[in-house]
Amino acid sequence: LAGMRAHAGAARLHTHGCRALCSLCGDTANNMVKVVEAVVAWMRAQAGEAEVQENGCRALFNLCANNPDNGVEVARLGGVEAVLAGMRAHKDAARVQKQGCRALRYLCTNTADNKVTQLFAFNALIAGMRAHSGAAEVQEAGCAALSNLCQNTDTRVTVAALGGIEAVVAGMRANEGEVRVQMWGCGALAGLCADNAANQVKVAVHGGIEAVVAGIRAHEGVEGVQVA
């Protein structure tokens, strides 16, 4: 950390530093605040470096995936804003969008009371999916995030209003042969339709039923798709 602070302008050093933290984050409970502050600072200092943003998002994802409770602290320390800034600055970089979606999946789980943060996060997720409809890794990460986050009436309404249903259906159609896209796509649509008649109609209107049926048929032997 000290070396990276001393060379704030060295993008390559930041990239390798973030990569190292990706493998160390799971064991940094006592130093989590320092690690998060360092990662966020590096991402801000190297906003134009896609590789730094990718690895920064990955490091924040690792912190939250290994311990979901960390999401609150990472968000408090500016992690959500750093991820969103990276995704906005590198809209054409599929790998940044993938890692950004993965990070937001956990970072925004505990931000239900912050409607503004969730709105920006949903906008970023859906924008990334639209920009990379043919990139299976982005679609998988985006659908998984939406599946995780659409757990209440407000978020279902918001995501549908922002075009989330259309984005999921488009991703499923463009990646019919990708098992995990189909699995998470079905999960996202199921979450969006739960106790929401308007969303159920919208899924049908935009071809969601056909997309789900096609996915099930394409992966008949895959339990994850059939169950989702």
Side-chain angles (χ1 to χ4, degrees):
L1 295 178
M4 297 180 73
R5 290 193 192 102
H7 300 279
R12 185 168 294 278
L13 176 60
H14 286 191
T15 294
H16 290 297
C18 285
R19 284 178 177 170
L21 288 174
C22 286
S23 61
L24 295 173
C25 280
D27 299 316
T28 56
N30 294 330
N31 297 314
M32 189 191 70
V33 171
K34 291 181 181 179
V35 171
V36 174
E37 288 177 341
V39 171
V40 169
W42 302 331
M43 292 176 73
R44 288 173 176 164
Q46 299 293 333
E49 296 291 337
E51 197 170 0
V52 171
Q53 300 305 310
E54 175 193 349
N55 286 294
C57 288
R58 183 185 285 120
L60 296 179
F61 162 77
N62 283 353
L63 272 171
C64 299
N66 291 329
N67 185 347
D69 291 338
N70 286 348
V72 175
E73 189 69 0
V74 173
R76 184 185 71 80
L77 294 168
V80 176
E81 290 81 1
V83 171
L84 293 176
M87 293 177 75
R88 290 192 200 102
H90 301 279
K91 295 178 181 178
D92 295 331
R95 295 200 301 186
V96 174
Q97 297 302 313
K98 169 192 172 182
Q99 297 301 339
C101 287
R102 293 178 79 211
L104 291 177
R105 175 182 175 185
Y106 292 99
L107 280 172
C108 293
T109 301
N110 297 307
T111 59
D113 294 333
N114 192 332
K115 304 301 183 184
V116 174
T117 297
Q118 281 208 335
L119 180 62
F120 283 127
F122 289 140
N123 262 315
L125 286 168
I126 293 167
M129 292 176 69
R130 283 175 173 162
H132 302 278
S133 60
E137 57 184 14
V138 176
Q139 297 304 312
E140 176 190 340
C143 287
L146 292 178
S147 180
N148 237 39
L149 297 173
C150 291
Q151 299 297 321
N152 60 63
T153 301
D154 288 345
T155 55
R156 291 170 194 140
V157 170
T158 299
V159 170
L162 293 172
I165 290 172
E166 296 91 322
V168 172
V169 172
M172 292 179 70
R173 283 176 172 165
N175 298 276
E176 189 174 301
E178 298 289 338
V179 173
R180 294 186 65 80
V181 174
Q182 298 304 312
M183 180 178 73
W184 285 115
C186 287
L189 292 179
L192 283 162
C193 289
D195 301 319
N196 192 310
N199 281 1
Q200 292 167 15
V201 171
K202 199 166 187 178
V203 167
V205 168
H206 290 286
I209 294 174
E210 292 85 350
V212 170
V213 171
I216 291 172
R217 286 176 175 166
H219 303 282
E220 291 183 357
V222 181
E223 183 179 357
V225 177
Q226 304 300 313
V227 172

